């Protein structure tokens, strides 16, 4: 087969402080013999939402030498390019002022180029190579990319590879290390209050722990892009690199590093789970529309759990921190009203229209394939350990799937079969309960497999010593109406279905003006007044709804809310301790000595 002539892309700054740059695509004549349709992706893989990147593109023109040719816009993101016997140039302007891992951001300090939001492709010619060059940017700027380079150009063998290869331009810092025959580059952009040497050392341990699961790395070079900016956090996986955003001011305490390490582990694990080992629906892609799958619980939820496994095995995050994180997530999932409304498969399939487009009622009607998936992954790890008597866990399931399927398509049936082989049990009951079903999360397997107890505490059991002696504080802690208020004022953010507030007719967006005659100006005031009568009491609520004022009586009942903490079972035996060590690479902590008793 003849080698295809590449599209030659050149990016130039137009006005960096105004976040504007230009893209020029030199399209070879062989691609235009019958004309072509040029399109911009509507979304980027790994972020399952149609983002309509074409809204950031304008001044689209097609040139033949110096002559401008007619260009017809077909819809929101497609243009008809005329037939030609000569090379044509497509030229257009892009606005980039959204600093996330899935959108362009350019300014006087740096340029982050997300290919899906930047480069037009020719329909039915996704296999055509693309060469990318940068011209006219500040002289002290460098270019970082996972793509190979030749004669000043970054080379993508096809459009799929280009989309999977973001660029960072600027005066960034770079660190490099080698392990397992692979070179890892860490690109640091933006100021922060952390220690980059410490971050690099931990990243080295993380990649070794992840690589050990799969028996090595499926690449010879990998790039971590670290971008620091205030109050933001995010990550997006790619085949040979990952983009990470962290809070610039998070590193004045250990938890800031722990959160970064978990993010590194999560996105790096995706180099296998979803970038290579994936549902066939997730590649090759249709960039023009949604690509739904029922397996995001597997690709994202199980990865969210494996990030904990990896950082523990790497020794960069202590069990005490992980235990708090897992218990917090458990608390949120077992009390989310939507847990009884949507399965993980349904959550995965509807990600495009529900997970990324949350509305007021979403907590009451949906679950997150990330967070609920993480808890189900934990239970799956326990089920595998219990069924195999500690010999196999979730990491072993991934290792088996990698050996068996590699970069071939992965189906739900394949995952079930691996579960059956490792656990010795029929996978159907687990899937029926937690993946296609909506069963309540059951902590019993965690105790049986790992010697971990999930202890629930009521709000009044968590009061400080002085508050615990105060009858009013006890009464308020026991009170519940089902209202969730916004952090910045006494406005209703959510009403729990079936709660006293819901039955009284209160709803989203209403402002609480007064409770029992007391004016409310803050959420804290409103919640205090709502809780004053205690369970069995009643409050008179004055609320505003679209300019009209209504008065309702709301009964107060005992709070069903519970927080959870992980504890070690003092009766944990050898089997549980072996399983805990095998999953997490650490010994099961000792159970605390109770006063007057034994461990």
């Amino acid at each position: 087969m003849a080698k295809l002539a590449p599209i030659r892309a050149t990016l130039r700054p137009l006005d960096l402080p105004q976040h504007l740059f230009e893209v020029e695509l030199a399209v070879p004549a062989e691609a235009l013999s019958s004309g072509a349709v040029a399109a911009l992706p509507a979304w980027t893989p790994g972020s399952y939402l149609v983002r309509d990147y074409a809204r950031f593109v304008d001044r689209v023109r097609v040139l033949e030498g110096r002559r401008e040719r007619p260009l017809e816009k077909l819809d929101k993101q497609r243009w008809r390019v005329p037939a030609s016997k000569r090379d044509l140039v497509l030229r257009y302007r892009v606005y980039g002022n959204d600093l996330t891992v899935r959108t362009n951001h350019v300014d006087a300090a740096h340029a982050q180029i997300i290919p899906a939001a930047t480069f037009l492709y020719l329909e039915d010619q996704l296999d055509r190579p693309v060469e990318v060059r940068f011209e006219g940017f500040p002289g002290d700027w460098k270019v970082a990319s996972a793509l190979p380079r030749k004669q000043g150009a970054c080379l993508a063998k096809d459009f799929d590879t280009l989309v999977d290869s973001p660029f960072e331009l600027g005066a960034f810092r770079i660190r490099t290390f080698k392990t397992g025959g692979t070179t890892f580059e860490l690109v640091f952009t933006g100021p922060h209050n952390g220690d980059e040497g410490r971050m690099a050392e931990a990243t080295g341990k993380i990649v070794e722990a992840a690589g050990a699961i799969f028996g090595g790395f499926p690449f010879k070079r990998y790039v971590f892009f670290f971008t620091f900016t205030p109050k933001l956090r995010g990550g997006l996986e790619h085949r040979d690199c990952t983009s990470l955003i962290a809070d610039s001011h998070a590193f004045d305490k250990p938890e800031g590093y722990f959160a970064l390490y978990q993010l590194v582990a999560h996105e790096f694990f995706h180099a296998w789970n979803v970038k290579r080992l994936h549902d066939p629906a997730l590649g090759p892609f249709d960039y023009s529309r949604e690509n739904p799958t029922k397996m995001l619980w597997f690709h994202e939820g199980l990865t969210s759990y494996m990030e904990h496994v990896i950082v523990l095995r790497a020794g960069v995050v202590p069990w005490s921190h992980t235990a708090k994180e897992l218990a917090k997530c458990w608390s949120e999932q077992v009390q989310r009203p939507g847990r009884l409304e949507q399965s993980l498969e349904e959550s995965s399939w509807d990600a495009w229209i529900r997970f990324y487009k949350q509305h007021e009622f979403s907590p009451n009607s949906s679950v997150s394939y990330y967070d609920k998936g993480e808890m189900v992954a934990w239970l799956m790890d326990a089920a595998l350990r219990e069924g195999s008597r500690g010999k196999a866990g979730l990491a072993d399931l991934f290792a088996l799937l990698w050996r068996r399927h590699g970069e071939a398509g992965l189906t739900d049936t394949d995952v079930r079969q691996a579960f059956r082989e490792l656990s010795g049990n029929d996978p159907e009951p687990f899937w029926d309960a937690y993946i296609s079903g909506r069963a309540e999360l059951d902590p019993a397997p965690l105790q049986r497999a790992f010697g971990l107890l999930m202890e629930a505490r009521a709000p009044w059991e968590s009061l400080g010593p002085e508050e615990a002696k105060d009858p009013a504080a006890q009464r308020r802690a026991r009170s519940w109406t089902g209202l969730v208020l916004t952090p910045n004022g006494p406005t209703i953010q959510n009403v729990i279905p079936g709660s006293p507030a819901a039955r009284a007719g209160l709803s989203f967006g209403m402002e609480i003006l007064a409770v029992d005659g007391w004016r409310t100006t803050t959420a804290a005031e409103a919640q205090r007044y709502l809780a004053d009568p205690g369970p069995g009491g009643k409050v008179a609520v004055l609320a505003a709804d679209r300019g009209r004022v209504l008065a309702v009586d709301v009964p107060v009942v005992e709070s069903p809310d519970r927080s959870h903490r992980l504890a070690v079972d003092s009766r944990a035996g050898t089997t549980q301790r072996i399983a805990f060590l095998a999953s997490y690479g650490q010994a099961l902590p000792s159970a605390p000595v109770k006063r007057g008793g034994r461990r």
Side-chain angles (χ1 to χ4, degrees), residues 314-334:
V316 297
V317 174
W319 169 252
S320 58
H321 178 79
T322 299
K324 290 178 183 178
E325 292 276 296
L326 292 172
K328 179 183 177 183
C329 189
W330 185 277
S331 296
E332 293 168 349
Q333 299 314 304
V334 299

Side-chain angles (χ1 to χ4, degrees), residues 234-314:
L236 189 65
E237 69 276 4
H238 301 283
R239 279 181 64 88
D240 299 327
C241 64
T242 186
S243 298
L244 310 166
I245 293 182
D247 186 348
S248 301
H249 308 297
F251 305 102
D252 56 349
K253 52 188 176 181
E255 289 77 11
Y257 286 97
F258 299 160
L260 179 63
Y261 300 159
Q262 288 172 211
L263 182 63
V264 169
H266 183 108
E267 303 305 336
F268 187 63
F269 193 75
H270 274 316
W272 293 272
N273 185 21
V274 88
K275 295 313 301 184
R276 289 172 170 83
L277 194 66
H278 63 78
D279 181 352
L282 296 177
F285 298 106
D286 180 346
Y287 295 106
S288 70
R289 58 180 296 276
E290 297 89 344
N291 291 224
T293 169
K294 291 183 178 181
M295 289 188 67
L296 291 183
W297 65 268
F298 177 85
H299 291 312
E300 292 292 356
L302 269 60
T303 297
S304 293
Y305 172 72
M306 288 302 298
E307 76 183 48
H308 296 296
V309 171
I310 291 167
V311 296
L312 288 169
R313 290 185 175 190

Side-chain angles (χ1 to χ4, degrees), residues 321-564:
H321 178 79
T322 299
K324 290 178 183 178
E325 292 276 296
L326 292 172
K328 179 183 177 183
C329 189
W330 185 277
S331 296
E332 293 168 349
Q333 299 314 304
V334 299
Q335 294 177 112
R336 184 180 177 94
R339 72 191 186 280
L340 305 177
E341 300 289 337
Q342 188 183 46
S343 71
L344 280 177
E345 286 185 335
E346 292 167 337
S347 176
S348 299
W349 187 262
D350 285 343
W352 298 84
I353 59 171
R354 297 188 70 181
F355 180 77
Y356 282 96
K357 294 183 177 181
Q358 300 278 318
H359 50 74
E360 297 92 337
F361 197 67
S362 293
N364 305 330
S365 62
S366 65
V367 295
S368 164
Y369 53 81
Y370 280 95
D371 298 335
K372 177 72 177 291
E374 178 181 337
M375 296 297 95
V376 168
W378 194 11
L379 295 178
M380 185 180 290
D381 195 7
L384 289 165
R385 291 292 174 195
E386 191 175 7
S388 66
R389 298 188 62 81
K391 296 179 181 178
L394 196 60
D396 302 283
L397 181 136
F398 275 108
L400 175 59
L401 291 173
W402 178 247
R403 291 194 303 271
R404 183 168 293 168
H405 300 282
E407 300 202 31
L410 178 76
T411 67
D412 181 77
T413 300
D414 298 326
V415 181
R416 294 184 191 223
Q417 180 59 31
F419 179 95
R420 183 192 303 273
E421 291 180 26
L422 294 176
S423 69
N425 294 323
D426 181 0
E428 299 306 314
F430 189 93
W431 259 249
D432 289 346
Y434 296 126
I435 295 169
S436 57
R438 307 174 186 88
E440 295 278 17
L441 296 176
D442 179 8
L446 305 177
Q447 181 179 6
R448 295 195 302 266
F450 299 122
L452 296 174
L453 299 172
M454 187 67 71
E455 297 180 343
R457 301 187 72 186
W460 56 91
E461 294 174 329
S462 302
L463 294 174
E466 293 304 315
E467 286 183 305
K469 299 175 185 177
D470 181 358
Q474 278 276 347
R475 188 172 64 249
R476 284 192 291 270
R478 290 179 178 272
S479 298
W480 187 78
T481 61
L483 281 180
V484 180
L485 304 182
T486 61
N488 55 354
T491 301
I492 298 175
Q493 178 173 297
N494 191 19
V495 184
I496 305 302
S499 68
R503 291 194 295 270
L506 294 175
S507 189
F508 315 101
M510 291 183 179
E511 181 186 0
I512 305 300
L513 301 176
V515 178
D516 281 342
W518 292 103
R519 181 73 172 97
T520 56
T521 58
T522 67
E525 281 181 339
Q527 291 289 19
R528 177 177 178 136
Y529 297 152
L530 288 167
D532 274 342
K538 183 172 59 176
V539 289
V541 175
L542 198 65
D545 180 24
R546 292 181 298 161
R548 295 181 62 85
V549 176
L550 66 154
V552 296
D553 290 334
V554 181
V556 181
V557 300
E558 185 167 281
S559 175
D561 292 341
R562 297 293 183 269
S563 60
H564 294 78

